[in-house]
Each structure stands twice: as structure tokens, then as C-alpha cells.
Amino acid sequence: MTTQHRIKRGVSLYSYQYETFLRTMTLDDCIAHAAGLGARGIEVVSEQSFTGFPNVPDEQVAAWFASLDRHNAYAQCHDMFMDIKLYKDRRLNFDEMVASLERDLYFAKRIGCPTVRIIVNTPPEVVVACVPLAEKLDIRIGIEVHSPFHFDHPWILRYTEITRATGSNHVGYVPDMGMYIKHYPPVFRDRFLRMGATPKIVEFILQAHEARVLPDYVIMDVRKLGGNPVDLQMAETLRHNIWSNPRRMLEFMPWIFHIHAKFYEIDETGKEPAIPYEEIIPVLIEGGYDGHLSSEYEGQRHIEDAFEVDGREQVRRQQEMFKRLLGEQ
């Protein structure tokens, strides 16, 4: 039986970053693989996929659309980065940041993406200044709510207050599921062990994470236990690998435009051992989420020292998990 919902499946081409870097997959290969899994909504990191971004030749854009058409896929989201440290001696000023976001809005329109994901460090005042252009182009701007930020974080609450005051339905959120790390990722644990972490201290850190002990306390305790630099490095990751309540998304659901379905691995049982999608997806269905779950594989960097990276297989496994959880036949 098919569950009633309006959730679509997609893939962020960030998932194929390893293969793209090694040139074992072309942009067309990435689109073909995603669409072949029924994940037709394509999210693109333009710096990764387009040579010379933002000055992309017309022939590259034409090839992009031809590839989408060939594989029955469509553009869904363009990932924008606010490069505030573009210059060595200063940060971008307000007008430069506005110009940067406006540039990406125009580029998103050029490649057919209805949504722009802005990175979390984008000041809300800059977003407000770009709302008129977003409305003119009919492009939705969504700030990435990314760990260690969450929907109750002061920065996100400030963004909400300032942008909501515009009354625009073109400004909202792109939650990253990495803020729902319920269990410490096994690929993180195993890499720290390979790097020389102390097994007993590793177990202590894992138990502290499960108990939601404040990271500062864990770090202090690891020092008291005589932890080596790798142990301390592992303890520091607790600051970033947070667990927040997925149900908080319900309040913000009308302004959630897109979702980064972050994952570090899908194991042989078809589950993400760190991020409980079996708890997350029912919340999205309950809230009437009308958008894409965009696979974002980020486990490459944690296994590449010891194992062959296979982004294709990992994305395939997550998409199979989505089909099961979404009730697709």
C-alpha cells in the first residue's frame, strides 16, 4: 500500500564528490545514476559541476539541460556559498554579500533551479535585501539549518524573526538531517580507531554521546583520562554531531522548501545507523512536507583512508530505504 504524501526523491550531486574529483563520473553520469534510481530531482553544487562557475559558458548550460532531458530528470536546487573570506585582508561587506547572493539567484534561474540553498553563515539582512529579486525570478531562498545549528538555535531564531517579517513566501529553510545524529556514526568511530584512538576512551565517548552529555564536559573528562590527541579530536566532534528533536520541523513546515537527507552510510540492513530516518520521515509526512528528500552522502572522507569509496552504491541504498519508508511499491 502506498502512503499518502507529497514527498519527492532527489539526489545532491555532492554525493558523488569523490567520483567527480577522480573523474570517474561525469556530470551526465551523476544525473543518469540519480534518475535511474527514480530520484529525479537534481541538486547541484555548481562549483563542483560547472567549469568556471560562475562564468559558465552557454554550451555547458545547454549540455546540462540536455542531460536532464535525456534521463527524465529536472533541476531542483542550486547550492550557494557565501564566500565571506574571498579576500585575504578583509571580509565581504554588506553590498558585496548582496551581490553574491543575487548572482546565485540569477544563476539558479539560468539552470532551471526553483530553489537556492544558502549556507548558514548568510546574514538574514542580506537575505531580506534579496527578497525582491527572489520574488521577481520566482526562486525560493532556503537557509541550510545545519548542525550544530538547529531550529531553536539563536542564529536560526534571529533569521526567522527578520525574514518572516518580510511576509514573503520565497524565503525559508533547507534543513540538513545531520542535526539528528541520534547515535554516533560508526564510520567516525572506526576511523578514529584507525588513527590511534584509545579503545576504552572511544567507548567512553560513545556512551557520553548516547547520554547527551555536554561536549565540554566530555572533553574535560577525556583530558583527565589521559586521552591522546586523537581521543581529544574525537571528543571535539560531539560539538557538531548533535541530536535535536525532528518534531520541531512541524512548526516550520510551511517554509521548508527542500531537505538535505544527509547520511554517512547505509549499512547492509538498509539503515542509517546514526540518523533515524524511520523517525524523521513520519514527521515529514505528518507535517505535509511538499518537497524533495535529496540524498547527501558524506561518508567518503571517513573511509577513504582504508576502503574503496562507492558513492553510487551508498546513494542506491539510501534511495531504497526512502522507497520503503515512503511506502512506494
Side-chain angles (χ1 to χ4, degrees), residues 25 29 34 61 65 79 92 97 105 125 153 157 159 169 177 188 217 238 241 249 256 273 275 311:
M25 289 181 76
D29 292 334
V61 175
F65 281 114
D79 287 357
L92 294 186
M97 287 190 282
L105 287 169
E125 296 85 357
H153 191 283
L157 293 176
Y159 171 88
N169 61 2
M177 299 298 97
F188 288 26
Y217 293 158
L238 298 191
N241 293 293
M249 286 190 288
I256 293 178
I275 303 172

Side-chain angles (χ1 to χ4, degrees), residues 226-277:
N228 64 38
V230 179
D231 297 328
L232 288 167
Q233 185 179 347
M234 180 178 177
E236 285 281 354
T237 65
L238 298 191
R239 298 186 190 275
H240 190 83
N241 293 293
I242 67 167
W243 163 251
S244 57
N245 189 343
R247 295 192 65 80
R248 288 295 290 122
M249 286 190 288
L250 291 173
E251 179 182 334
F252 299 84
M253 201 66 70
W255 301 277
I256 293 178
F257 301 145
H258 188 71
I259 285 178
H260 277 176
K262 172 74 61 59
F263 72 107
Y264 296 108
E265 68 171 320
I266 305 296
D267 63 25
E268 293 182 356
T269 71
K271 291 186 66 175
E272 205 327 335
I275 303 172
Y277 278 98

Side-chain angles (χ1 to χ4, degrees), residues 272-289:
E272 205 327 335
I275 303 172
Y277 278 98
E278 63 278 4
E279 297 178 32
I280 293 168
I281 289 181
V283 172
L284 299 176
I285 294 173
E286 177 186 344
Y289 172 60

Side-chain angles (χ1 to χ4, degrees), residues 44-74:
V44 62
V45 181
S46 296
E47 287 93 333
Q48 171 185 312
S49 295
F50 293 103
T51 303
F53 175 83
N55 301 312
V56 179
D58 290 341
E59 54 268 27
Q60 273 198 65
V61 175
W64 155 259
F65 281 114
S67 182
L68 292 173
D69 289 342
R70 184 163 49 251
H71 302 297
N72 193 27
Y74 51 89

